[in-house]
């Protein structure tokens, strides 16, 4: 579970400060997706960066489970991120020289863990299991130049799940993809959220095809302009009728 409690973030802007996130409170529960939409420049990426503990908010708290992430120093926040948070950014940042499997395996090395032979075998098995989970079972030995944009985004998602995070944060994963490929990626994030029990926050303009969607917010000028709560029965049961709706099910509250 992740909770943002009344977080505010400003950036320096000439002599004054620009308010990028303005008093946002939001909770994502395990196994559900919280959708975040809003116009460009409205503060969505800033909000995710706060949730990811990459930026400390000016005020407000970030709770990851029972841990107050906003009280941690930089080293502690890095450790928390490596253990408990998975992050998928807009740009794919895969390493050109590595195969799909190696892109995942390298995550553990970055965590500074020493690796015996047994660790290496376990890491390889986990990488292959995750590649299969994202539909890339046959592509483990391919390098980024041999893969499509959609396949690369699947690797990013698999890589973010390597350390079995409680929280998954995904920022506009479909922006470089065509509509069909984009819809597949969104559906994949919904399925993985359910299967792996992550508390997922997903920034995207397209929230259809998402069966674990519990709520969505629309951010305008750093504030929550609209909050939509999905029908709880549909979220927990994964009702098929829930996936293609044009209009949000349940209550829509303008705030
Ligand atoms: P979105 O992801 O919704 O497009 P962002 O969170 O990227 O919005 O940006 C919100 C606002 O903060 C915008 O006005 C943007 O120009 C500004 N901004 C984002 N990052 C920085 C930064 N590092 N320094 C200064 N201003 C920033
Ligand atoms: Mg953004």
């Amino acid at each position: 579970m992740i909770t943002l409690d009344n977080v505010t973030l400003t950036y320096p802007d000439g002599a004054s400060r620009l308010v990028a996130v303005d008093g946002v409170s939001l909770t994502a529960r395990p196994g559900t997706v919280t959708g975040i939409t809003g116009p460009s420049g409205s503060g969505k990426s800033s909000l995710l960066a706060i949730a990811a503990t990459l930026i400390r908010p000016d005020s407000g708290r970030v709770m990851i489970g029972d841990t107050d992430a906003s009280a941690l120093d930089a080293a502690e926040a890095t450790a928390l991120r490596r253990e408990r948070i998975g992050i998928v950014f807009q740009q794919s940042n895969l390493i050109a020289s590595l195969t799909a499997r190696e892109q995942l395996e390298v995550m553990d090395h970055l965590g500074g863990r020493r690796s015996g032979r047994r660790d290496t075998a376990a890491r390889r098995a986990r990488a292959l299991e995750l590649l299969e989970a994202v539909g890339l079972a046959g592509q483990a030995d391919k390098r980024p130049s041999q893969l499509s944009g959609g396949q690369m985004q699947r690797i990013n998602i698999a890589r973010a799940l390597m350390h079995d995070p409680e929280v998954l944060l995904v920022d506009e994963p479909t922006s470089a993809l065509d509509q069909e490929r984009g819809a597949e990626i969104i559906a994949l994030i919904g399925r993985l959220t359910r299967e792996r029990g992550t508390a997922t926050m997903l920034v995207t303009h397209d929230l259809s095809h998402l069966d674990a969607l519990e709520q969505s917010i629309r951010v305008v000028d750093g504030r929550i302009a609209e909050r939509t709560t999905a029908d709880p029965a549909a979220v927990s049961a994964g009702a098929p009728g829930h996936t293609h709706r044009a209009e949000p099910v349940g209550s829509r509250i303008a705030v």
Side-chain angles (χ1 to χ4, degrees), residues 11-12 18-21 38-47 171-172 203:
Y11 294 112
L18 181 145
V19 181
V21 177
S40 175
S42 60
K44 306 180 297 296
S45 293
S46 299
L47 190 61
D171 195 358
E172 302 206 48
V203 175

Side-chain angles (χ1 to χ4, degrees), residues 49-57 62 64 67-87 163:
I50 293 168
T53 76
L54 289 167
I55 305 181
R56 190 194 283 265
V62 179
I64 310 287
T67 306
D68 183 350
S70 26
L72 303 178
D73 66 28
E76 290 167 335
T78 303
L80 174 91
R81 243 184 342 267
R82 281 189 185 138
E83 284 165 21
R84 299 173 66 182
I85 304 176
I87 306 172
H163 56 299

